[in-house]
Amino acid sequence: MNKQWHKKWMGLMVLSGALGSALAQPANPLRIGLIGPLTGPSADFGVPMMNGAKLALDEINAAGGYLGRPLELVIKDDAGTPDVGLQRSREFLKDQLIATIGFCNTGVALKSLEVFQSAKIPLIVPCATGTPITTTYPAPDSYVFRTSARDAIQAPFVVDDIVARGWTRVAVFADNTGYGEAGLQDVLKALAAKNLKPVHVARFELGVKDLQTELKAAQAAGADVIFSYTVGQENAVIARGRQALGWKVPQVGAWPLSFPFFIDGAREAAEGALMAQTFIAEPSNERRSAFLSAYARKYKTTKITVPMAAVQAYDSVYLLTYAILAIRNGDLSGPSVKAALETMPRIYYGVAATHEHPFSKDDKDAISINMLVMGMVKNGAVTFAYPQDRTRNLIVKRKR
């Protein structure tokens, strides 16, 4: 075993240590739900989410699964549509799941949360970032966990960066979805914490093809930076519209500015855009190199459309497995799995972060603001905005 894989397999040794009693266990699989946009406009991050989860599952099953029982994914496509997501979530109720991993779109997640909460099925959200997802229910009672960076930390992280760069006249462009509305509120709060107000706020529907009127209004208001909050091609519409005006102000935002819809859709107009990231697809340490190599081999690709979606889903499967391996009485009911996630005794050396007590009864978000780095679009790809972050990224960060 070469050095590159050493850390990865050290993590798997936690799993294999439980295999002594494997022969005494039934071979029927433990079923885990997975739901996300596998078709439609949001498939760019739904498919890598699914692929990351599958990769983790393969590794865990190769190491013996759960006491000799394989893990199995029950996969459903929500098509990025709230009503479809609700229907598919209800279908999970007959599948005898120990937990579900899923949702990329905030609006889709919010429509379906009650299904999992009422059924007491733990839900781990690896992609959707809308703050209300983990605040809808009181934390001690909530079955909703998350391994993506909520907008309540992404927004202030980006605001801190732009203020440090001297940009204080902010125009906010947010779509009218649940994601855009929640993100707008988080940006407004983050600006208020710096005693700032946006000089212009633009709202728009998904699918809009022209935002020139709003861009001209933002320009007339003297904006020196555009903070965009939308998940689709609208980010590119903003960038191309700004370019058409010859208006050379930076575009910043949350993680969707790292999506192909923006980078490929805006092309040269995307260059220099800044966004919050938990993971940048560069082999900055051995754990990340191992993940990128394994993903490339399994899916025969050197490029992940949305790397954060793949990594956070991969880490989610491992966190769930670590949690259930700590259950000693064989009780894999929803309340038991929830309690195990809240009291994980072992450290999981993940790809996005080192997870030591990622959840608790009072905190269902695994990612804290210190785990974020600023990404930048450069030559059509996302890299570290600051060279020193690449160096610091050799050490995977822990939650504060």
Side-chain angles (χ1 to χ4, degrees):
M1 186 182 302
N2 62 37
K3 184 178 179 182
Q4 183 183 31
W5 285 95
H6 178 69
K7 288 187 179 179
K8 180 179 180 181
W9 285 102
M10 283 298 290
L12 290 177
M13 289 301 290
V14 173
L15 307 181
S16 62
L19 298 182
S21 57
L23 295 178
Q25 301 297 321
N28 57 305
L30 293 181
R31 309 186 86 194
I32 301 167
L34 185 137
I35 184 168
L38 308 181
T39 58
S42 294
D44 272 349
F45 59 128
V47 172
M49 179 198 74
M50 177 183 67
N51 288 346
K54 285 182 173 180
L55 177 59
L57 206 78
D58 286 352
E59 294 173 353
I60 292 164
N61 284 337
Y66 172 77
L67 303 179
R69 297 174 64 182
L71 305 182
E72 176 183 278
L73 287 178
V74 179
I75 299 172
K76 297 187 185 295
D77 179 11
D78 65 30
T81 303
D83 287 339
V84 174
L86 178 60
Q87 180 182 345
R88 298 291 178 265
S89 296
R90 288 170 174 164
E91 292 170 2
F92 274 139
L93 298 181
K94 65 179 184 298
D95 288 321
Q96 296 182 322
L97 307 176
I98 62 166
T100 294
I101 292 168
F103 296 114
C104 289
N105 305 90
T106 294
V108 181
L110 290 174
K111 183 94 173 185
S112 297
L113 292 184
E114 182 60 27
V115 173
F116 300 95
Q117 183 70 17
S118 294
K120 297 184 178 180
I121 298 173
L123 171 68
I124 304 176
V125 180
C127 292
T129 60
T131 300
I133 288 172
T134 46
T135 60
T136 296
Y137 306 105
D141 303 324
S142 179
Y143 280 76
V144 182
F145 300 79
R146 176 160 47 191
T147 56
S148 58
R150 64 193 184 279
D151 293 321
I153 63 172
Q154 288 196 62
F157 178 77
V158 176
V159 166
D160 284 349
D161 186 73
I162 64 177
V163 170
R165 293 170 182 265
W167 306 329
T168 57
R169 297 184 60 79
V170 184
V172 185
F173 280 62
D175 67 39
N176 287 325
T177 66
Y179 173 73
E181 175 60 28
L184 171 61
Q185 297 307 314
D186 286 324
V187 173
L188 294 178
K189 289 177 185 176
L191 289 171
K194 300 288 185 181
N195 295 316
L196 296 173
K197 291 183 179 180
V199 297
H200 182 75
V201 175
R203 304 303 303 275
F204 52 87
E205 299 294 332
L206 289 184
V208 67
K209 303 298 183 184
D210 185 354
L211 286 167
Q212 287 294 86
T213 299
E214 291 287 4
L215 285 164
K216 288 177 181 177
Q219 185 180 31
D224 58 13
V225 61
I226 297 173
F227 199 133
S228 57
Y229 242 100
T230 186
V231 296
Q233 54 85 28
E234 298 78 20
N235 274 321
V237 171
I238 295 167
R240 291 195 304 268
R242 174 178 48 79
Q243 183 184 51
L245 290 175
W247 187 25
K248 296 182 179 180
V249 295
Q251 186 171 347
V252 304
W255 72 306
L257 288 182
S258 65
F259 290 14
F261 260 132
F262 175 65
I263 296 174
D264 297 341
R267 297 182 181 274
E268 67 275 5
E271 288 292 301
L274 298 164
M275 78 296 293
Q277 299 277 275
T278 61
F279 172 81
I280 291 175
E282 296 181 13
S284 51
N285 62 32
E286 291 183 8
R287 185 73 175 100
R288 288 166 176 162
S289 295
F291 169 83
L292 292 169
S293 296
Y295 192 101
R297 282 196 305 274
K298 181 173 176 62
Y299 299 109
K300 297 178 174 56
T301 180
T302 57
K303 184 177 181 180
I304 308 173
T305 52
V306 180
M308 283 173 58
V311 163
Q312 289 164 183
Y314 175 92
D315 283 348
S316 295
V317 173
Y318 268 101
L319 286 171
L320 174 61
T321 306
Y322 272 48
I324 63 174
L325 280 168
I327 298 173
R328 299 302 183 186
N329 62 1
D331 179 6
L332 296 179
S333 65
S336 179
V337 174
K338 171 183 179 291
L341 285 164
E342 293 168 346
T343 57
M344 283 179 54
R346 293 190 176 97
I347 298 173
Y348 165 57
Y349 296 96
V351 181
T354 293
H355 289 290
E356 183 177 11
H357 305 301
F359 308 114
S360 70
K361 286 185 177 181
D362 298 317
D363 185 1
K364 298 300 191 289
D365 281 287
I367 301 297
S368 54
I369 196 167
N370 65 295
M371 296 174 175
L372 300 180
V373 296
M374 190 63 67
M376 172 186 284
V377 178
K378 185 176 182 180
N379 298 323
V382 176
T383 188
F384 293 94
Y386 297 103
Q388 58 268 34
D389 279 342
R390 182 179 288 105
T391 302
R392 286 196 292 262
N393 222 40
L394 291 169
I395 300 172
V396 182
K397 298 175 182 178
R398 300 187 185 212
K399 184 176 179 178
R400 289 181 186 166

